[in-house]
Amino acid sequence: MKRLFSILATAGLFVAGTNTVSAKVVAAAAILQDAAPAAEKGFTQVLKEQFIQGGAGFMGIVLLCLILGLAVAIERIIYLNLATTNTTKLKQQVEDALASGGVEAAKEVCRNTKGPVASIYYQGLERAGDSIESAEKAVVAYGGVQMGQLEKNVSWLSLFIAVAPMLGFMGTVIGMIQAFQKIAAVGNLSASLIAGDIQVALLTTVFGLITAIILQIFYNYIIAKIDSIVNDMEDSSIALIDMLADHKK
């Protein structure tokens, strides 16, 4: 009898434990189901919601700065990549053309090559018949023109980098002013009363800084690309003057 009672007690404890585990599993599943919609939100969706909460006023202007800045950056990157040439190969081709066909053959090589270095070579070869000094002046003058073409619209990019965080800070100041105005109107300090205005104020700053960081990365790449091309132009100009001096000997 005692043995039977022990078996029944063990079975009862097992069933109770199973029910407890099952209840915990069901509760955990319910919690996961409730958290699933929040977890399914991706970064883009969260960013969109935060942007809408920031207000259409300053957030729209910050977004416009980002769009215009990216447009300028992409245009400059495409232009600079097209302006990049193999200067070592071009110098060799021009030198061979000068040795075999003279100045006209070298000019033909430059006409068939794209990029600022080829354009500078062509202008120097145009003045090769006058004197070395005339060719050097032409190279220096046209080098300045080509540098201006490389740096075209880059100032707009730096403007957007400076304006975007300023707009964000202005939105922050305006949001804080509105929060204090509400406190003054109500007469007491309530977190729920000013939380919305403070959130809008901080969101404008965050999006302004994000815009500036993105554009700053593109700006640094463009400046580095321009410096690389300008260095190639200077080295190639010196090489051209040396080639013309050797050709006149």
Side-chain angles (χ1 to χ4, degrees), residues 72-73 75-76 148-158 160:
V72 173
E75 184 272 333
R76 282 293 88 190
Q149 292 292 327
L150 295 175
E151 295 176 348
K152 184 179 178 182
N153 295 330
V154 176
S155 59
W156 287 104
L157 189 57
S158 60
F160 295 138

Side-chain angles (χ1 to χ4, degrees), residues 37-56 59 199-200 203-204 207:
E40 287 175 357
K41 289 183 179 179
F43 177 76
T44 306
Q45 182 66 25
V46 174
L47 194 64
K48 186 191 300 182
E49 291 178 357
Q50 296 295 323
F51 181 84
I52 294 172
Q53 290 177 6
M59 299 295 273
Q199 182 184 17
V200 170
L203 284 174
T204 55
F207 277 90

